[in-house]
Amino acid sequence: MDKRGLSERDICTKFITPALERAGWDVHTQLREEVNLTDGRIIVRGKLVTRGKNKRADYVLYWKPGIPLAVVEAKDNTHPISAGIQQALEYADMLNVPFAISSNGDGFVLHDRSGQAAKMETSLALDEFPSPDELWLRYRRWKGLETVDAPALTQDYYSDGSGKSPRYYQMNAINRVIEAVASGQDRLLLVMATGTGKTYTAFQIIWRLWKSGTKKRILFLADRNILVDQTRTNDFKPFGGSMTKITNAKADPSFEIYLAIYQAITGNDIKEDLFRQFSPTFFDLIIVDECHRGSAKDDSAWRDVLTYFSAATQLGLTATPKETTSISTSNYFGEPVYTYSLRQGIDDGYLAPYKVVRVDLDKDLTGWRPEVGKTDKFGEEIADRVYNQRDFDRNIVLEKRTELVAKKVTQFLRETNPMDKTIVFCEDIDHAARMRQELVNANPTHCAKNKKYVMQITGDNEEGKAELDNFIMPESLYPVIATTSKLMTTGVDAKTCKVIVLDQTIKSMTEFKQIIGRGTRVEEDYGKLYFTIIDFRKATELFADPDFDGDPVVVYQPPVDGTLAPPDEVRDADGNLITDPELLAQALAEREAAQAAGAQTALAGSSDASTYTGELNRDTPARRVRYIINDVEVSIAAERVQYYGNDGRLITESLRDYSKKTIRMRYASLDSFLKTWTASDRKQAIIDELREQGVFFDEIADQVGKDYAPFDLVCHVAFDQPPLTRRERANNVRKRNYFTKYGDAARAVLEALLTKFANENMDELDNMAVLKINPLAAMGTPVELVKRFGTKAQYLEAIAELQLQLFTA
């Protein structure tokens, strides 16, 4: 057998797999071939969407399903044995395993970073591959688990029989937590971006710890009923009768898995705390979902629960760890045992990328100052100063501004799809109510068809909250547009949300990430591959913040006297210390105004409230918190579209500029592209590779001209060469009379292919399937047409020469 003539797949089947079996690897439970690690990054330009190339390992070797040990990359026998080692190293790093292996069927190269081998890289014969027991022992030593006797380490994952398995990063997260618990850690933090399956990951963690007997009674804590109810009916459903939700005033000790919101188990004083009906050692494991929302603060109600059950292992789940001068997620739970970021999720294709429509309004940019004696719509004289973007919809309302925002959102939906689920984030409840009204007025036809087309979904609105489940359900058409303040910031699993509107001043990175997370879920069955952010408040400038998707930095320094915030410190709604002089002055002025009006400010923080509680009191205008102005015109000053770039930053550039940059990243010069093109046996493979990088040839052709082949579009857009049309290239070939070297029968085939290239935009001339399409199909079967050239090799040689003639400059 000539190995060099075998395909890569043949090398796997005939040589690599048998060698693994001889070494003791079970092909059914310990060996998986062609394992997809990622889905391929979603690339968006204009209205076009494509996926980049996915990452796929030829082999992943497991101790047990879900517990990977090694990656094997295969190459055909024309490559050296070590040709796949760098690719294997990349995949091994993704899977957090120490063994990366390459093979061409002659033997193996093993890269071992476990520190258990004399050399980091060694060559092995086919019959020298290590056994599962050997690699498992090295793996445990590498993890520091050699002497740990923990059944959870080898406990099976839950399987529903459908073949569903965790994604690579979920597997990493589950295994990292299990290993940490086995090592004796009792405070753990898991950071996973919104939409990456934190709850499913938590379920598998609980399942393995519970089934192995490591943790017998578990409490899952959240801060909203919707989070607990979704968890109970979806991911946690396999727990069945062993699970309960704590809803009444009496603790029932007969269950093993408990779900609760902390409001249901805590009261106003110690006597009312339901959780104290359980003994302090009752729970073995407590998982706190969205742990950044409360447990990070020393004086929070969450912390009372965690302190009471301090003997339990405690795991915090969050997409956005909070680190401020007074609040620290990692100070309590420790450094994350695993982090999977928004940027990683987008790069892997598991999260939806975004494009940003940035709309700047004139009054937001320049501010607005009332003329002397100017009064609002209720006759209240407006204090003389310049009001800027931070004032609008907080202590001053420009009604025409709200109207313009509603019209702009409506315009966008009309130009894309009026039925795309949309969340409009407003400053507060009052703003959300006014925005709902303006959106209703801007969409009379849709609202007449269904009164729920636009709904206000805020904490105080029972009708709106009742429609939250319908907004979330992909199958439910209505509501389409939801106006909100804080209620939908976190924990709302709206998979089909395609538009996020930011008309809210956002200074907290934590809140910003949570809001953006409402759109990051991918739902391909419903055409949800990306989402659009319409930003009216410059909130997307936070994308440029180095902390965006960066590692949290602990700045929490508890003072010796135990006081967390001196009386003269002012904090925003997220508990962050306000240090900017201008913001501080404004905050103090607002607090004084609120106190004078007898209102509560939002500076102490609330989950879904207006800046000040209480509605405007029209009977006592002197105590009104906001000015309401209906006669000041507002217009759009600037508008631009930005995309999520390969480096994770927002970019503002045309399709042609993006395509030029992308092509030149792959081919530094025209000469480099031409050499690659000429040497390639399959020209289409080059085009497909560029498509995977986001070069949309169809849309470029719309701008440059539809009569140009991808070859000319590349040369023109990337290297400024004058393009030739397909017909011009075909005529140039005919003029050279090079066909005369072939017989009449073969020449007829080449003429037909040339005509299809010129008239029908047929680019894949080197694809044998073209022989099955008329007029070639009418000339004979593919076998008969190939025989006109002698052999298949001679036919392919003729096609290669035809392409060479076509694309000669």
Side-chain angles (χ1 to χ4, degrees), residues 596-652:
Q600 298 287 331
T601 73
L603 292 172
S606 65
S607 62
D608 193 347
S610 302
T611 302
Y612 307 106
T613 58
E615 295 299 317
L616 301 183
N617 186 343
R618 293 184 176 84
D619 296 327
T620 55
R623 297 181 62 186
R624 188 181 306 120
V625 175
R626 294 186 181 94
Y627 300 110
I628 312 295
I629 303 165
N630 62 354
D631 59 354
V632 173
E633 296 296 329
V634 180
S635 62
I636 293 173
E639 183 176 348
R640 63 181 179 273
V641 177
Q642 298 174 298
Y643 297 94
Y644 181 90
N646 287 334
D647 59 357
R649 296 183 178 277
L650 285 177
I651 55 175
T652 305

Side-chain angles (χ1 to χ4, degrees), residues 656 670 673-674 704-705 707-726 728-729 732 806-809:
R656 289 184 65 163
L670 176 62
F673 171 70
L674 294 177
V704 178
D707 294 330
Y708 300 114
F711 173 86
D712 280 281
L713 294 174
V714 169
C715 293
H716 177 63
V717 169
F719 305 108
D720 302 317
Q721 298 298 304
L724 295 177
T725 65
R726 295 171 184 273
E728 287 172 333
R729 289 199 173 277
N732 286 343
L806 267 173
F807 298 110
T808 297

Side-chain angles (χ1 to χ4, degrees), residues 127-425:
D127 60 357
E128 293 179 326
F129 197 87
S131 68
D133 287 339
E134 183 179 348
L135 289 192
W136 174 239
L137 179 60
R138 290 197 218 174
Y139 176 89
R140 290 184 66 168
R141 286 174 179 166
W142 181 59
K143 287 283 189 175
L145 299 168
E146 181 184 7
T147 60
V148 175
D149 182 19
L153 286 176
T154 56
Q155 173 62 45
D156 291 339
Y157 282 67
Y158 170 80
S159 174
D160 61 3
S162 67
K164 177 186 177 181
S165 60
R167 294 170 176 170
Y168 85 89
Y169 63 86
Q170 293 171 336
M171 202 160 51
N172 286 345
I174 295 162
N175 291 336
R176 291 276 187 93
V177 171
I178 297 297
E179 290 164 0
V181 172
S183 299
Q185 285 185 237
D186 57 6
R187 298 292 180 269
L188 306 104
L189 179 63
L190 193 56
V191 178
M192 295 173 65
T194 300
T196 57
K198 288 194 300 295
T199 310
Y200 170 73
T201 300
F203 162 73
Q204 289 286 7
I205 290 169
I206 296 172
W207 181 269
R208 290 181 63 192
L209 292 172
W210 180 57
K211 279 293 184 180
S212 66
T214 306
K215 304 294 179 184
K216 297 179 180 179
R217 286 191 287 261
I218 294 105
L219 173 63
F220 183 88
L221 270 177
D223 69 339
R224 293 185 182 178
N225 266 312
I226 188 172
L227 294 177
V228 170
D229 293 339
Q230 287 175 350
T231 299
R232 185 182 186 184
T233 57
N234 297 328
D235 290 316
F236 280 30
K237 188 176 181 180
F239 288 127
S242 299
M243 173 177 58
T244 187
K245 177 184 176 183
I246 301 175
T247 56
N248 53 35
K250 185 173 177 60
D252 185 347
S254 61
F255 294 90
E256 295 176 85
I257 312 295
Y258 293 78
L259 293 82
I261 58 171
Y262 80 87
Q263 297 95 325
I265 61 175
T266 58
N268 294 324
D269 58 49
I270 292 179
K271 293 180 181 179
E272 297 178 4
D273 286 339
L274 176 60
F275 69 85
R276 297 181 191 276
Q277 294 184 26
F278 296 98
S279 72
T281 58
F282 183 82
F283 292 110
D284 303 308
L285 173 66
I286 298 177
I287 295 183
V288 184
D289 195 23
E290 306 291 355
C291 66
H292 65 278
R293 291 180 60 84
S295 58
K297 295 179 68 175
D298 283 348
D299 58 350
S300 68
W302 294 78
R303 187 62 66 86
D304 289 341
V305 178
L306 298 182
T307 300
Y308 182 78
F309 296 114
S310 61
T313 298
Q314 298 176 3
L315 170 64
L317 304 178
T318 183
T320 51
K322 182 176 289 188
E323 304 296 342
T324 72
T325 54
S326 65
I327 302 174
S328 173
T329 312
S330 61
N331 184 265
Y332 182 80
F333 289 104
E335 292 300 316
V337 293
Y338 185 71
T339 297
Y340 188 71
S341 69
L342 172 64
R343 184 172 299 169
Q344 287 173 286
I346 293 175
D347 287 344
D348 288 343
Y350 292 125
L351 293 181
Y354 43 80
K355 65 178 180 180
V356 175
V357 178
R358 170 84 173 270
V359 182
D360 293 329
L361 306 180
D362 62 342
K363 299 299 185 291
D364 290 27
L365 295 179
T366 62
W368 176 75
R369 183 177 182 179
E371 60 267 26
V372 176
K374 172 75 174 176
T375 59
D376 72 357
K377 65 185 292 184
F378 300 114
E380 178 71 13
E381 185 172 342
I382 304 168
D384 181 21
R385 70 176 180 88
V386 176
Y387 295 89
N388 56 35
Q389 190 177 65
R390 288 190 294 269
D391 294 308
F392 299 142
D393 299 299
R394 293 174 69 85
N395 49 30
I396 189 167
V397 172
L398 300 182
E399 290 189 335
K400 291 188 180 294
R401 185 190 181 284
T402 311
E403 180 183 348
L404 180 60
V405 169
K407 286 181 177 178
K408 191 64 186 176
V409 172
T410 300
Q411 177 191 338
F412 177 83
L413 291 175
R414 285 175 181 167
E415 293 172 353
T416 52
N417 182 357
M419 299 305 292
D420 281 348
K421 293 291 181 78
T422 301
I423 304 177
V424 185
F425 286 95

Side-chain angles (χ1 to χ4, degrees), residues 1 45 179 480 600 685:
M1 182 185 297
R45 287 297 176 272
E179 290 164 0
V480 175
Q600 298 287 331

Side-chain angles (χ1 to χ4, degrees), residues 534-606:
I534 307 179
D535 180 16
F536 293 93
R537 300 268 182 167
K538 298 183 181 179
T540 50
E541 289 180 351
L542 287 170
F543 281 123
D545 191 309
D547 284 340
F548 184 75
D549 247 350
D551 296 327
V553 177
V554 177
V555 294
Y556 178 78
Q557 296 177 336
V560 177
D561 62 2
T563 304
L564 294 179
D568 58 343
E569 289 186 351
V570 179
R571 300 183 181 279
D572 63 17
D574 291 288
N576 299 314
L577 182 66
I578 299 176
T579 57
D580 180 87
E582 185 178 352
L583 291 175
L584 183 60
Q586 181 181 338
L588 289 170
E590 290 176 355
R591 184 163 68 181
E592 290 173 4
Q595 290 169 346
Q600 298 287 331
T601 73
L603 292 172
S606 65

Side-chain angles (χ1 to χ4, degrees), residues 59-120:
Y59 292 86
V60 177
L61 307 182
Y62 300 83
W63 174 246
K64 295 186 71 172
I67 306 175
L69 296 179
V71 174
V72 181
E73 276 303 302
K75 298 295 178 184
D76 64 43
N77 201 251
T78 62
H79 292 82
I81 296 177
S82 62
I85 198 66
Q86 293 190 140
Q87 192 174 359
L89 282 167
E90 178 187 356
Y91 297 160
D93 189 56
M94 290 177 65
L95 289 170
N96 188 37
V97 296
F99 310 112
I101 303 159
S102 175
S103 178
N104 67 351
D106 288 339
F108 299 96
V109 170
L110 169 62
H111 183 105
D112 181 353
R113 57 175 177 164
S114 72
Q116 308 301 310
K119 293 182 179 180
M120 184 167 280

Side-chain angles (χ1 to χ4, degrees), residues 429-448:
I429 290 175
D430 175 71
H431 186 198
R434 289 185 289 103
M435 184 63 71
R436 187 208 69 83
Q437 183 176 359
E438 292 298 343
L439 284 165
V440 167
N441 290 335
N443 294 273
T445 303
H446 290 291
C447 291

Side-chain angles (χ1 to χ4, degrees), residues 1-11 14-15 76-78:
M1 182 185 297
D2 180 14
K3 281 187 181 180
R4 297 182 68 82
L6 297 178
S7 68
E8 181 181 298
R9 187 57 9 212
D10 287 335
I11 291 293
K14 298 178 185 297
F15 297 98
D76 64 43
N77 201 251
T78 62

